[in-house]
Amino acid sequence: MSAFDELMAFQRQTEALAQVGGRLGWDQETVMPEGAAGQRAEEIGALEGVLHSRRTDPRLDGWLKAAKAPDAAGEAQLRLIRRSHARTMKVPAKLAEEIATVMSLAQGVWAEHRAKEDVAGFLPTLRRVVELKRQEGAALAAGGDPYDALVDDYEPGMTGAAIAAMFDAMRPRLVRLREKVLGAAAPKGVVGVFPAEAQLALSRELATVFGYDWSRGRVDLAVHPFSSGSGHDVRITTRVSETDPFNCFYSTIHEVGHAAYEQGIDAAYALTPVGQGVSMGVHESQSRSYENQLGRSRAFTGWLFGRMREVFGAFGIADAEGFYRAVNRVHPGYIRTEADEVHYNLHIMMRFDLERALIRGELDVADLEAAWNERFRADFGVAVDKPSNGMLQDVHWSCGLFGYFPTYTLGNVYAGCLVKALRGDLPGLDGQMADGDVTAATGWLRERLQRHGGLYEPRDVVRRACGFEPSEGPLLDYLEAKFGAIYGV
Ligand code: ZN
């Protein structure tokens, strides 16, 4: 066996075990009996130990030095294994262990203090998390910017400076759009009770419409919707509110976007590093394209309006135009996950600035709440009323996910580019979507982007798919055109 084949055989088992770990996590959020929590933590811990020792296995160095890739996909495999191995080796084992322990407990501490609206009680834990992530960032950056090193975990090749430049270009246009829209009359929302079973049936239909492969997936309920797994087992979750059917429908479409990406990767790459979505930003570009740019389009909502009338009868909206406006209603709110397309990126920008300052040591944890509240008032025009609507709302920082937030907006930016390009190639798309047929769009995304998995670097795969250099321009043009028309501004 060649060094390359030996390395790939070893890596395949590591990937398989990582998939098992992911499935334990899925199980924990969906069907695990409550009393199993303690044992589950031990099971996951044991598996993490096995994975860590495989990722630091002394044979890896030799294989990586000797391996000759047989083709371009092999080159990509080596590049990804090298990157992950180098990352693991840069962080001292003791620090990695402490991070794992502290983060697993911090999430519970965060949830407890969020429920009590108690920022002060959470601060010591947050301070410890920030310290550890700063140490990890410094170890990874080896003299460079620690925040860049953390971003690189989620979005290889992206830097804080590049994100800041993009966000600076976006913010004035978004704030201007927000002010114009909020100065106009708000459209009516849906009214009534939408039975859970009927919502779930229609959400399964939506998953099918958006190309979810049920033979390699399933949908369950969870508090926070997510997608889990890759290759031939990609599961999603959704949630139901009987007064807000869009929550269920658009959460489902969003997660189908993530899942379709994983399911759409060339089957030859399954259980290899290339056989997974290439970055969080590119992942989010798929979910946001499906959910917003396609799912909330005038054409597709026309079809959805008809289906909802068939399933639920009347719900206070007279016609497809009114329904489109209801689906895309802009409302100022505190909570990022409930934000509309106009507000969403403003939420991300403030988190990015705050977390970057924390990691670079420019903002002290003790001053975070004041900094959050001040920025929120400046960008959203309202004062934060309680911490659970402010700096305690997101789970990310408690789990040490610093550098993750910007990938949400990057996903929106990439989605803007991808949908601009696919609309150029598919002039009949709106006519098809008006009949509930999105296959031309999802097929375009699969062929141009999804099937490549990790073959190309994140920005590169988007550039290849679009045929132009990705930028924030197409997203901003789309938002201004769409909401300008809906609100007549
Ligand atoms: Zn997502």
Side-chain angles (χ1 to χ4, degrees), residues 254-255 258 280 283-284 287-288 291 404 408:
H254 181 96
E255 299 308 330
H258 285 298
M280 301 317 298
H283 239 294
E284 202 65 14
S287 57
R288 302 279 167 151
E291 176 194 350
Y404 192 110
Y408 291 122

mmCIF file of all heavy atoms in Angstrom, residues 254-255 258 280 283-284 287-288 291 404 408, ligand 1:
data_model
loop_
_atom_site.group_PDB
_atom_site.id
_atom_site.type_symbol
_atom_site.label_atom_id
_atom_site.label_comp_id
_atom_site.label_asym_id
_atom_site.label_seq_id
_atom_site.Cartn_x
_atom_site.Cartn_y
_atom_site.Cartn_z
ATOM 1 N N HIS A 254 -34.555 26.105 5.366
ATOM 2 C CA HIS A 254 -33.172 26.485 5.700
ATOM 3 C C HIS A 254 -32.313 25.227 5.939
ATOM 4 O O HIS A 254 -31.238 25.072 5.352
ATOM 5 C CB HIS A 254 -33.174 27.377 6.947
ATOM 6 C CG HIS A 254 -31.815 27.847 7.370
ATOM 7 N ND1 HIS A 254 -31.311 29.074 7.008
ATOM 8 C CD2 HIS A 254 -30.839 27.251 8.099
ATOM 9 C CE1 HIS A 254 -30.088 29.217 7.507
ATOM 10 N NE2 HIS A 254 -29.775 28.118 8.180
ATOM 11 N N GLU A 255 -32.800 24.339 6.799
ATOM 12 C CA GLU A 255 -32.007 23.149 7.122
ATOM 13 C C GLU A 255 -31.892 22.214 5.924
ATOM 14 O O GLU A 255 -30.878 21.528 5.765
ATOM 15 C CB GLU A 255 -32.586 22.428 8.344
ATOM 16 C CG GLU A 255 -32.606 23.268 9.626
ATOM 17 C CD GLU A 255 -31.256 23.903 9.978
ATOM 18 O OE1 GLU A 255 -30.203 23.329 9.638
ATOM 19 O OE2 GLU A 255 -31.257 25.004 10.585
ATOM 20 N N HIS A 258 -28.867 23.231 4.059
ATOM 21 C CA HIS A 258 -27.641 22.643 4.608
ATOM 22 C C HIS A 258 -27.526 21.163 4.225
ATOM 23 O O HIS A 258 -26.475 20.686 3.802
ATOM 24 C CB HIS A 258 -27.645 22.751 6.140
ATOM 25 C CG HIS A 258 -27.352 24.126 6.665
ATOM 26 N ND1 HIS A 258 -26.164 24.778 6.429
ATOM 27 C CD2 HIS A 258 -28.098 24.972 7.426
ATOM 28 C CE1 HIS A 258 -26.175 25.968 7.035
ATOM 29 N NE2 HIS A 258 -27.344 26.107 7.638
ATOM 30 N N MET A 280 -18.282 27.073 6.893
ATOM 31 C CA MET A 280 -19.580 27.475 7.441
ATOM 32 C C MET A 280 -20.238 28.529 6.553
ATOM 33 O O MET A 280 -21.443 28.543 6.378
ATOM 34 C CB MET A 280 -19.422 28.025 8.859
ATOM 35 C CG MET A 280 -18.819 27.070 9.875
ATOM 36 S SD MET A 280 -19.458 25.395 9.787
ATOM 37 C CE MET A 280 -21.166 25.684 10.151
ATOM 38 N N HIS A 283 -21.649 26.842 3.558
ATOM 39 C CA HIS A 283 -22.825 26.102 4.019
ATOM 40 C C HIS A 283 -24.026 27.035 4.142
ATOM 41 O O HIS A 283 -25.123 26.758 3.673
ATOM 42 C CB HIS A 283 -22.548 25.440 5.368
ATOM 43 C CG HIS A 283 -22.709 23.959 5.312
ATOM 44 N ND1 HIS A 283 -23.928 23.367 5.082
ATOM 45 C CD2 HIS A 283 -21.813 22.942 5.409
ATOM 46 C CE1 HIS A 283 -23.763 22.043 5.064
ATOM 47 N NE2 HIS A 283 -22.500 21.762 5.256
ATOM 48 N N GLU A 284 -23.769 28.153 4.810
ATOM 49 C CA GLU A 284 -24.858 29.098 5.041
ATOM 50 C C GLU A 284 -25.340 29.708 3.721
ATOM 51 O O GLU A 284 -26.506 30.084 3.602
ATOM 52 C CB GLU A 284 -24.387 30.177 6.028
ATOM 53 C CG GLU A 284 -25.486 30.896 6.770
ATOM 54 C CD GLU A 284 -26.311 30.024 7.713
ATOM 55 O OE1 GLU A 284 -25.916 28.890 8.033
ATOM 56 O OE2 GLU A 284 -27.389 30.491 8.121
ATOM 57 N N SER A 287 -28.124 27.306 2.650
ATOM 58 C CA SER A 287 -29.352 27.393 3.444
ATOM 59 C C SER A 287 -30.072 28.721 3.216
ATOM 60 O O SER A 287 -31.294 28.776 3.137
ATOM 61 C CB SER A 287 -29.044 27.188 4.929
ATOM 62 O OG SER A 287 -28.092 28.118 5.377
ATOM 63 N N ARG A 288 -29.295 29.805 3.070
ATOM 64 C CA ARG A 288 -29.929 31.121 2.866
ATOM 65 C C ARG A 288 -30.480 31.266 1.455
ATOM 66 O O ARG A 288 -31.494 31.924 1.249
ATOM 67 C CB ARG A 288 -28.923 32.250 3.112
ATOM 68 C CG ARG A 288 -28.308 32.236 4.482
ATOM 69 C CD ARG A 288 -29.217 32.861 5.516
ATOM 70 N NE ARG A 288 -28.726 32.556 6.845
ATOM 71 C CZ ARG A 288 -28.891 33.326 7.906
ATOM 72 N NH1 ARG A 288 -29.557 34.447 7.807
ATOM 73 N NH2 ARG A 288 -28.430 32.955 9.073
ATOM 74 N N GLU A 291 -33.732 29.209 1.709
ATOM 75 C CA GLU A 291 -34.744 29.806 2.587
ATOM 76 C C GLU A 291 -35.229 31.167 2.072
ATOM 77 O O GLU A 291 -36.439 31.387 1.924
ATOM 78 C CB GLU A 291 -34.165 29.988 3.995
ATOM 79 C CG GLU A 291 -35.139 30.690 4.948
ATOM 80 C CD GLU A 291 -34.475 31.188 6.236
ATOM 81 O OE1 GLU A 291 -33.308 30.840 6.479
ATOM 82 O OE2 GLU A 291 -35.139 31.929 6.977
ATOM 83 N N TYR A 404 -17.306 32.597 14.605
ATOM 84 C CA TYR A 404 -18.371 31.892 13.878
ATOM 85 C C TYR A 404 -19.403 32.863 13.305
ATOM 86 O O TYR A 404 -19.850 32.710 12.168
ATOM 87 C CB TYR A 404 -19.047 30.912 14.833
ATOM 88 C CG TYR A 404 -19.979 29.906 14.168
ATOM 89 C CD1 TYR A 404 -19.635 28.559 14.106
ATOM 90 C CD2 TYR A 404 -21.191 30.290 13.619
ATOM 91 C CE1 TYR A 404 -20.472 27.638 13.505
ATOM 92 C CE2 TYR A 404 -22.039 29.369 13.013
ATOM 93 C CZ TYR A 404 -21.679 28.055 12.961
ATOM 94 O OH TYR A 404 -22.503 27.143 12.360
ATOM 95 N N TYR A 408 -22.297 33.755 9.074
ATOM 96 C CA TYR A 408 -23.724 33.870 8.711
ATOM 97 C C TYR A 408 -23.912 34.939 7.629
ATOM 98 O O TYR A 408 -24.623 34.736 6.647
ATOM 99 C CB TYR A 408 -24.572 34.239 9.928
ATOM 100 C CG TYR A 408 -24.698 33.165 10.983
ATOM 101 C CD1 TYR A 408 -24.291 33.411 12.296
ATOM 102 C CD2 TYR A 408 -25.255 31.922 10.699
ATOM 103 C CE1 TYR A 408 -24.432 32.441 13.284
ATOM 104 C CE2 TYR A 408 -25.388 30.953 11.688
ATOM 105 C CZ TYR A 408 -24.972 31.216 12.975
ATOM 106 O OH TYR A 408 -25.106 30.272 13.955
HETATM 107 ZN ZN ZN B 1 -27.814 27.707 8.892
#
